[in-house]
Amino acid sequence: MMGTITVVNPGLLTTVQDLGRTGYQQFGMVVSGAMDPFSLQVGNILVGNPRGAAGLEITLSGPVLRFEKECLVALTGADLSPLLDDQPAPMWKGFSVGRGQVLSFRRPVEGIRAYLTVSGGIDVPEVMGSRSTYINGGIGGYRGRALEKGDVLTVGVNPVPREGKRLAYGLRPRYGKEVTLRAVPGPQSEAFTEEAVGTFFSEAYEVTPRSDRMGYRLKGPRLFHKEKADILSDAIAPGSVQVPAEGQPIVLLADRQTTGGYAKIATVISADLPRLAQAGPGCRVRFERIDVAEAEKRAVEQENLLRTLEIGARNN
């Protein structure tokens, strides 16, 4: 297949991601996948792809990409000031890119991770059922790494090409410098003092520069354990909030390890993880306590929205 997209400049961190490598955690294989799966799925819907098709996750400083043939694309997630041939490109809308046109980015306006989806999906080999890049393991994506200058990406064939769609403005997520995340008490919340649990659900924490795809390290009031931070290692769910001995929480995300040995004070609900993924260093984070029933309700609401968008795009 002929190359479709040439990487002129890779940007800070641009990787191929889909919805992750599920079913292998019992063997120690991390899930990876998009940090903001909502934005990736919407982008795929806007260009007529299956929701789990592979796209590009673009972090903070975007790449320069030259298209070698006409494509239908969409940009979702963070607004990184995208330009198509030096003219502003739309967000949350499918649009055509002609042969030889160049997509670039200037500066982040809102959020830190944008997603580029292309009709047909980014065509890289599947590894354990996923095209997602896991950089630390050197697998998946484009040669198991972030994109580099001179890389050439191919795009799959979309059997039912569609005109680009648009996400209604009122449905587009907003990303601010402060975010409130709903969370359920963690499996080891009893390992913390009552004051620590109260502090966690009432005080603000700051995203530190040490945050990455594996987890967000937060800085704020210290959380004290009743005895020690260590536990017998157990499974790590997306959004698990570990607290090591120094008492600062870590929210574990897409490239999280499969098991961990620190007590977990809470778990951020899946519906809110995309908003955390769009928070950069210096953003303030607060946690709101909810129960499992409420968490399930929010997950169903988000899935219903995605299904409604998918059906609407298919029928229009």
Side-chain angles (χ1 to χ4, degrees):
M1 184 180 293
M2 295 291 292
T4 304
I5 303 173
T6 298
V7 180
V8 179
N9 185 310
L12 178 64
L13 178 65
T14 304
T15 58
V16 177
Q17 300 292 344
D18 56 21
L19 295 182
R21 192 165 282 109
T22 57
Y24 297 92
Q25 291 181 86
Q26 67 266 38
F27 306 115
M29 177 53 64
V30 305
V31 176
S32 294
M35 286 279 282
D36 178 353
F38 178 81
S39 291
L40 176 69
Q41 290 178 87
V42 172
N44 276 320
I45 290 169
L46 296 178
V47 297
N49 288 341
R51 282 162 46 186
L56 296 184
E57 180 177 272
I58 298 164
T59 306
L60 209 56
S61 176
V64 178
L65 306 171
R66 185 176 66 246
F67 289 78
E68 310 300 348
K69 72 174 185 180
E70 185 176 359
C71 294
L72 177 64
V73 306
L75 290 163
T76 56
D79 181 355
L80 304 182
S81 304
L83 300 173
L84 184 62
D85 283 350
D86 297 323
Q87 297 298 315
M91 293 289 302
W92 302 96
K93 176 186 177 182
F95 62 97
S96 293
V97 177
R99 181 179 180 180
Q101 288 196 288
V102 174
L103 180 68
S104 61
F105 301 82
R106 287 181 296 179
R107 60 182 180 82
V109 175
E110 187 180 34
I112 65 169
R113 288 182 173 87
Y115 292 85
L116 173 66
T117 50
V118 185
S119 185
I122 301 296
D123 187 17
V124 294
E126 286 192 357
V127 178
M128 287 178 262
S130 171
R131 293 181 168 88
S132 284
T133 310
Y134 176 42
I135 293 176
N136 289 343
I139 66 169
Y142 189 90
R143 301 181 181 178
R145 57 168 170 77
L147 297 186
E148 297 177 358
K149 181 178 179 179
D151 288 345
V152 178
L153 300 171
T154 58
V155 173
V157 177
N158 191 337
V160 189
R162 297 180 175 89
E163 181 183 353
K165 308 298 179 183
R166 179 195 303 267
L167 182 66
Y169 186 81
L171 296 177
R172 301 177 188 183
R174 302 303 303 270
Y175 314 118
K177 295 296 184 182
E178 296 193 14
V179 58
T180 298
L181 305 172
R182 292 162 292 190
V184 297
Q188 290 90 36
S189 58
E190 73 283 351
F192 299 86
T193 66
E194 185 176 338
E195 292 79 9
V197 175
T199 295
F200 177 79
F201 283 110
S202 62
E203 299 295 330
Y205 286 82
E206 182 178 306
V207 177
T208 73
R210 296 175 64 200
S211 301
D212 56 22
R213 282 182 46 86
M214 182 176 179
Y216 267 38
R217 291 179 176 269
L218 307 179
K219 180 177 67 176
R222 182 175 178 180
L223 302 173
F224 288 92
H225 303 80
K226 288 179 179 177
E227 296 181 3
K228 58 182 181 178
D230 296 341
I231 60 168
L232 289 175
S233 291
D234 66 359
I236 298 291
S240 293
V241 185
Q242 283 189 333
V243 183
E246 65 266 26
Q248 298 299 304
I250 306 170
V251 186
L252 296 167
L253 299 170
D255 284 353
R256 67 194 179 276
Q257 69 272 34
T258 57
T259 62
Y262 293 124
K264 297 177 285 294
I265 196 169
T267 304
V268 177
I269 70 172
S270 60
D272 285 358
L273 289 178
R275 292 191 292 118
L276 178 59
Q278 295 293 352
C283 289
R284 287 163 58 87
V285 176
R286 290 182 179 274
F287 297 93
E288 175 188 338
R289 188 199 308 244
I290 64 171
D291 60 21
V292 172
E294 181 71 10
E296 291 173 344
K297 179 180 178 181
R298 299 309 172 195
V300 169
E301 286 178 353
Q302 188 173 86
E303 176 63 20
N304 286 342
L305 172 59
L306 288 165
R307 289 187 181 184
T308 300
L309 294 174
E310 190 173 29
I311 293 169
R314 192 181 299 143
N315 293 337
N316 290 331

